[in-house]
Amino acid sequence: MTNTQIDSFIQKIEFDRQAVKVSFKSRDPFIGFFVNTRDYDDLKGKNFWRIISQSNIKSYLSSRDANLSRIFSGFEITKLKVVESIG
């Protein structure tokens, strides 16, 4: 996906509140949410995205530690879908 496609999707959801199923070309899909950090605009311009995986969501919500996220290339993302539950 392009950074424009991903950004358009993200603008329609709420950060830290709506979990997303992220599907990839070469790896298994997972549930997580996108994180808006200081480097968000810089990463977005390069089509890279910080995503907190489902296993780290509770820790992130209590600490707001961006180091719990991983950076993924938007070119590897094939589909984004909002899911009802993050737990």
Side-chain angles (χ1 to χ4, degrees), residues 20-60:
V20 175
K21 181 177 180 182
V22 184
S23 300
F24 296 92
K25 292 179 186 175
S26 60
R27 64 183 322 164
D28 292 335
F30 71 88
I31 295 173
F33 61 80
F34 289 85
V35 181
N36 190 349
T37 57
R38 291 187 305 242
D39 59 356
Y40 177 82
D41 290 328
D42 185 43
L43 290 174
K44 178 176 80 170
K46 298 173 185 173
N47 201 11
F48 287 104
W49 306 91
R50 284 191 184 274
I51 304 174
I52 302 287
S53 66
Q54 188 174 21
S55 61
N56 290 327
I57 288 175
K58 288 183 183 179
S59 297
Y60 175 77

Side-chain angles (χ1 to χ4, degrees), residues 44-87:
K44 178 176 80 170
K46 298 173 185 173
N47 201 11
F48 287 104
W49 306 91
R50 284 191 184 274
I51 304 174
I52 302 287
S53 66
Q54 188 174 21
S55 61
N56 290 327
I57 288 175
K58 288 183 183 179
S59 297
Y60 175 77
L61 291 175
S62 64
S63 69
R64 298 292 181 192
D65 182 5
N67 291 320
L68 294 170
S69 68
R70 291 188 56 201
I71 298 175
F72 294 92
S73 170
F75 295 114
E76 289 295 316
I77 297 173
T78 59
K79 184 177 178 183
L80 298 170
K81 179 182 177 185
V82 174
V83 293
E84 294 297 321
S85 172
I86 61 173

